[in-house]
Amino acid sequence: MKRVLVTGSSRGIGRAVALRLAKDGFAVVTHAVRNVEAAQTAAAECAALSGMPEQKALVFDLADRAAVAAALEADMAANGVYFGVVANAGVNADAPFPILEGEMWDRVIDTDLTGLYNLLKPVVMPMVSARVRGRIVALSSVSGIAGNRGQVNYSAAKAGVIGAVKALAVELAKRGITVNAVAPGVIETEMAASIEFQDEVKKAIPMRRFGTPEEVAGVVAFLFRDEAAYVTRQVISVNGGLF
Ligand code: NDP
């Protein structure tokens, strides 16, 4: 049984990734911080798709290092190490730089960048010790590659994710564990719903539309395939040609 943790799988991209990996036969562990019921519903749907036992959804705030470690260590002790982790959960707090308050900077860095450390630190050594030739995928963003107006904090966090992924990929390559980033453009989720002037934004995208969570999930699922074992230290964009 190959267990895969997908953070932020109560909704949006994470939910689509969880369902897609379950369809591919992985035993998916879902997660949320507030919408616990939605994460458990996703877990039940995953179990139905994969034929694997239903797992209890994990609940933690990525910014709370001790809580993340406690939840992951308890889950691994009870159910075994992970074959893979999809570091998907994330937040944004957008504002033009003159009104970007310290709290907004801290919240996004603490969740999206430091949260990646908090998540991976407890799970990587157990994967190495168990000689799992597994997969780590982190969600970055076109903002982390190109920078985006009103997202100085988010662009910094998502660029940091890319640096962390590339360095960790080098460290884990000998172990056969691949580490990659997937960088979506604008995807139809609650996070993107707040975007103003949506028609104008679509005009800037060569494909003239937003992407779907399933289109991101397909790329994540590719990285989990046996055939992708030699793909590591990469950033794969899913953005309709935006950048
Ligand atoms: P959503 O806002 O739809 O969902 C966010 C998920 O993250 C939810 O499951 C939420 O849990 C969880 N979450 C939020 N805050 C925390 C926290 N502090 N600790 C733990 N979990 C948390 O996001 P998307 O599906 O749109 O985005 C998924 C990933 O893709 C993110 O990393 C995002 O930055 C990235 N991305 C998204 C793009 C887009 O256009 N949508 C574009 C580029 C990148 P709960 O339901 O409990 O609140």
Side-chain angles (χ1 to χ4, degrees):
M1 177 163 92
K2 288 181 169 173
R3 305 182 73 229
V4 178
L5 170 63
V6 184
T7 63
S9 36
S10 49
R11 54 198 167 97
I13 294 169
R15 181 182 148 80
V17 168
L19 295 176
R20 177 59 207 266
L21 290 176
K23 211 171 132 200
D24 290 349
F26 293 99
V28 175
V29 183
T30 60
H31 156 267
V33 63
R34 285 166 294 263
N35 292 305
V36 181
E37 232 173 84
Q40 198 58 53
T41 303
E45 290 174 46
C46 285
L49 284 166
S50 65
M52 298 286 166
E54 183 176 332
Q55 312 259 333
K56 196 169 186 314
L58 302 188
V59 183
F60 51 77
D61 181 344
L62 271 171
D64 183 343
R65 184 169 300 155
V68 178
L72 296 177
E73 281 160 13
D75 182 53
M76 287 186 290
N79 303 306
V81 299
Y82 302 113
F83 169 79
V85 179
V86 182
N88 163 81
V91 292
N92 63 326
D94 299 352
F97 193 67
I99 55 167
L100 183 68
E101 298 303 331
E103 182 278 325
M104 297 162 82
W105 173 271
D106 292 344
R107 178 155 40 103
V108 171
I109 299 293
D110 291 353
T111 308
D112 295 2
L113 182 54
T114 309
L116 182 67
Y117 170 82
N118 297 344
L119 175 72
L120 295 183
K121 191 65 174 45
V123 304
V124 165
M125 272 320 290
M127 285 172 75
V128 168
S129 301
R131 301 188 183 281
V132 172
R133 301 178 78 79
R135 303 284 188 265
I136 295 171
V137 178
L139 270 289
S140 180
S141 166
V142 66
S143 302
I145 299 173
N148 193 26
R149 181 187 294 275
Q151 293 193 316
V152 172
N153 51 354
Y154 184 75
S155 300
K158 293 297 186 178
V161 166
I162 291 173
V165 159
K166 288 185 173 179
L168 190 60
V170 176
E171 290 195 20
L172 295 179
K174 258 197 328 217
R175 312 288 188 170
I177 299 172
T178 70
V179 189
N180 293 287
V182 170
V186 187
I187 307 300
E188 282 166 356
T189 70
E190 284 174 41
M191 187 178 278
S194 59
I195 292 176
E196 291 176 334
F197 311 114
Q198 300 222 354
D199 288 344
E200 294 303 309
V201 175
K202 281 180 189 162
K203 277 187 199 149
I205 301 170
M207 289 219 162
R208 297 283 190 271
R209 66 172 178 88
F210 295 162
T212 66
E214 290 71 24
E215 287 171 320
V216 180
V219 173
V220 176
F222 162 72
L223 292 168
F224 272 78
R225 295 181 71 89
D226 291 345
E227 294 95 321
Y230 202 53
V231 180
T232 196
R233 205 184 182 183
Q234 303 305 307
V235 183
I236 305 183
S237 288
V238 186
N239 65 19
L242 181 58
F243 191 79

